[in-house]
Structures are given as C-alpha cells and as structure tokens.
Amino acid sequence: MRPAGLSDAAVELAPGVHWVGALDPHLRSFDIILKTANGTSYNSYVVRGETGVAVIDTVKENYADVFFRRLESVARYDEITTIVLNHLEPDHSGALPELLRRAPLAKVYLSTRAQMMLKALLKPPMSELPDYTPVTTGDEVDLGGRTLRFLHTPYLHWPDTQCTYLVEDGVLFSGDVFGCHFCDARLFNDLAGDFRFSFEYYYQHIMRPFREHVLDALALIEPLRLELIAPAHGPLLRHGPRDYVLRYRELATPRLCNEARREKTLVIFYLSAYGNTRRMAEAIAAGAERLAGVRVSLYDLEGGEADGFTDLVEEADGLAIGSPTINADAVKPVWDLLSSLTSVSIKGKLGVAFGSYGWSGEAVRLIEDRLRGLKLRVPVDGLRVKLVPDDHELDACRALGQDVARHLTGTVEHRAIDLSELVG
Ligand code: FEO
C-alpha cells in the first residue's frame, strides 16, 4: 500500500503508546549491500506515563519533518522527559540532534557501548553532550505507571544495540531485531502485505553473522510477555509476536546433527585443474579422519554454489581450502567462497590452506592471509606441492590433516622447551 494512505498524525498502538515513524517507500538499497524492493520504514515510538513522556529512537535525517509532525500530534516538547536510543545507526539517530534541541529537558538512555558513538555522532555544531545515562539489562525508567526496562543485546547488529521493554503493556521495542525493510502504510503485520521474504532476507544479511549474540538476546526476550513487538523497521508485530521470536530461534540454532557437539567438524573445499590439489585434499581428509571425534566433509568447489557452501562453513569447526595457483593467485571460486563468509559467524574457527602449483605457488599464502583477516585461527602452516604430489608429499598431506584434527580436538602435543638448551 502506498504511504499516501497514512496521514501525518501519530498512530496509536495502545492508549498512550504511539508510532511516530516515517515511511521511505522508494529506497532500493540500504547500507549499499541490502536490496529493498519495497523500500523501508524508520519506526519511532512515543510512550506516555503519568509523570513523563518517552521517545524511543528517531528516524533518518531527511525524514525528520514528518517525524516531528507526528511527534507533535501526541506530545509537547516540554513534556518529553526521556529519549531512548536503542541503536545509533543514522537511520535511527538522524533526527536526534534536532530532537535534543527541541526537547532540552529530556534525559537520554542508551547502552554502555553506545556512549562513544553518541560522542562521535554529536560532533559540532552541537557544543556539548546531552544528559545521558548508560543502561544495561534490568535497568528501568519510571514514567509514572509505565516502566521502560532495558535489555542489553549487543551486536544486533552493532555493538551499541539494545532493546527496551514496556513492562505494563508487554511491548518490546526491539530496534533492528525482528525488523525488515518492508514499507507498508498499513503498519501492522496482520494488515500489511506478505513480508516473509523481507523478514528472512533481513535476518540473513543483518543478524546471521552474529548468531551467538542472537541466541543471547533470545534468552532475555523469550521469558517476556509479548503483546506487541515494535521493531525499528517494517511491520509492527502484534499478531503472533512470539512466532517471530521462534523463527529467530530456529534461524540461529546450529543445525548440524553431530552427537550434541561431541564431534568436531572439518570441511575441506578444493578446486583442481589436473587432479593434483584434489589428491592433496583427499590425503588431508584421510589424515584428519585418523583421529576419533572428527567428522570430515570433502567438497569440490567446481560442483556447487558459494551460498550453499557458506551454510556448511557456518556449522563447521574447521575449514581447509585448497587451490591451484593460476596467474599468481588463487582461483575465483575460492575467493567467491571466502567473500561469502562475511555473512556468517566464523570468528575463531580453524583455517588451513593447501594447493598444488606449477611455478610460484602464491595461492596458499594468499588464502591464509584472507583466513586470518576473517579472524579464523590458522595454527598450522599451509602446504604447497609443486605439480604432482608424490608419496612423500601425500604423507605430508595426511600429516597436515592429522595436525589440523589435533588442533580441532584440543589434542595437540605441546613440545616442552628445556630453557637450558637455549643457553649459549
Ligand atoms: Fe536500522 Fe542498524 O539500523
């Protein structure tokens, strides 16, 4: 539905609780990387208590005018006692400087990690910081008969992010969590068009790299009574709000069935022009499988798509990548795979590189550099073989696989250094 169907008045969600956000129907990409076929919305909220009025988040700067018109339809600026910043990304903080100017009595509440961002955001022309209080899980603001309680939910999807729960009404102002880029003037999920694709797409691109943090946040959110989830983008979730919480739980839960994580998993990807890197991959797999408690999967990158392989990496504990060197580089499907890994949580996984080469063999070092750049552990030097691996070199591949498996299972033999040997 076109946003023309919405007046510039606030929309009541419950008595004294209003949406005062803005619709941006013509946006077609967000943060450069996200496609937004339906545009988006910047949801902002006002909560009125007996002794105070709170504004929760603002909007993108160029939508400030409509935000202030909607805000003025339900509150005077001198009534605003509280400004809650669930997230300081500019799509939610764009109107903040002007709001602070218009509502000088308001105290700002934000997460502890948002403090430095606030300082960076309010550079001149603002001469001084507003009166702000850093908050964390369990901290509350009393608005008089209405209580805002904060939930510390970092990295969803910035370090500063938090959620705010309106206790008496069971309303969760969730920031980007449970949001999506879907512009619909009907506002509520039971009235809006079918936004399932946008919801899933948003999770995959925004929340998925922070899966562990999603699970931490869900542990705080799931016990709450939820009458309404009011996210910072997209439809307001008043029909079956818990369904969206459950969906996040499903999306963030590891899917690989491996005996309750008693096994470690190693995925080996390779490409091979003449079968040499393939033989190395098979020998590395055989070496790794010698250790109990390691499950190995072997994939030829020529036979699949990077997106599907990304799912495998997300569930794996270790990742081995083999590439021949062609024109002093690893081959393109390897780079495609590596670039896709920014969309999943991989920090701390183990990585190793290997490959056959004809002349100079740069691919292995380049892959290792990239693995380190992605914050994987690379505890074992990669293995390069000139052209065809002979029996001795295949033994070295098996030893490499075994070494990787030992690192995965925590059974590396640490060599004791006798300091006296170092003297002289
Ligand atoms: Fe909607 Fe992360 O800003």
Side-chain angles (χ1 to χ4, degrees), residues 87 89 91-92 157 176 233:
H87 179 26
E89 196 168 1
D91 52 324
H92 308 297
H157 60 122
D176 282 343
H233 298 287

Side-chain angles (χ1 to χ4, degrees), residues 195-211:
F195 62 97
R196 285 175 298 167
F197 169 80
S198 300
F199 185 85
E200 302 277 323
Y201 180 84
Y202 192 87
Y203 178 89
Q204 294 297 339
H205 287 80
I206 298 289
M207 300 297 165
R208 186 178 178 184
F210 306 100
R211 180 165 79 170

Side-chain angles (χ1 to χ4, degrees), residues 112-316:
T112 51
R113 295 188 181 193
Q115 296 173 79
M116 295 307 293
M117 290 184 191
L118 184 69
K119 291 171 186 168
L121 194 72
L122 300 180
K123 288 173 178 168
M126 287 209 69
S127 55
E128 59 186 48
L129 285 174
D131 181 359
Y132 74 87
T133 303
V135 291
T136 189
T137 300
D139 288 343
E140 294 182 346
V141 171
D142 180 8
L143 298 173
R146 276 197 156 124
T147 311
L148 298 177
R149 182 179 297 160
F150 302 103
L151 309 178
H152 183 54
T153 57
Y155 293 100
L156 299 181
H157 60 122
W158 274 19
D160 67 314
T161 48
Q162 65 172 7
C163 297
T164 301
Y165 182 59
L166 177 54
V167 176
E168 291 78 6
D169 299 79
V171 177
L172 181 70
F173 301 102
S174 58
D176 282 343
V177 185
F178 307 122
C180 65
H181 291 309
F182 190 86
C183 181
D184 196 312
R186 293 166 289 193
L187 284 188
F188 296 98
N189 66 327
D190 51 312
L191 302 175
D194 188 342
F195 62 97
R196 285 175 298 167
F197 169 80
S198 300
F199 185 85
E200 302 277 323
Y201 180 84
Y202 192 87
Y203 178 89
Q204 294 297 339
H205 287 80
I206 298 289
M207 300 297 165
R208 186 178 178 184
F210 306 100
R211 180 165 79 170
E212 292 80 6
H213 295 285
V214 171
L215 292 171
D216 288 345
L218 291 175
L220 297 176
I221 291 168
E222 284 168 340
L224 302 175
R225 176 175 70 90
L226 293 174
E227 298 297 331
L228 168 70
I229 295 176
H233 298 287
L236 316 190
L237 309 173
R238 68 180 178 186
H239 178 77
R242 199 161 290 280
D243 293 347
Y244 299 88
V245 180
L246 284 172
R247 184 61 184 143
Y248 261 48
R249 170 65 68 181
E250 288 172 355
L251 289 167
T253 300
R255 284 159 286 167
L256 186 63
C257 173
N258 64 348
E259 299 178 12
R261 305 299 289 170
R262 284 198 295 274
E263 286 183 316
K264 294 295 180 181
T265 53
L266 172 67
V267 183
I268 303 173
F269 295 104
Y270 67 91
L271 268 154
S272 193
Y274 295 102
N276 297 321
T277 302
R278 175 177 56 76
R279 278 190 281 277
M280 293 180 72
E282 290 166 349
I284 291 167
E289 284 172 344
R290 285 179 183 166
L291 250 74
V294 177
R295 187 195 294 201
V296 181
S297 308
L298 193 62
Y299 281 95
D300 185 342
L301 285 172
E302 195 177 347
E305 300 287 340
D307 282 353
F309 291 141
T310 306
D311 291 347
L312 300 174
V313 175
E314 186 177 33
E315 303 298 335

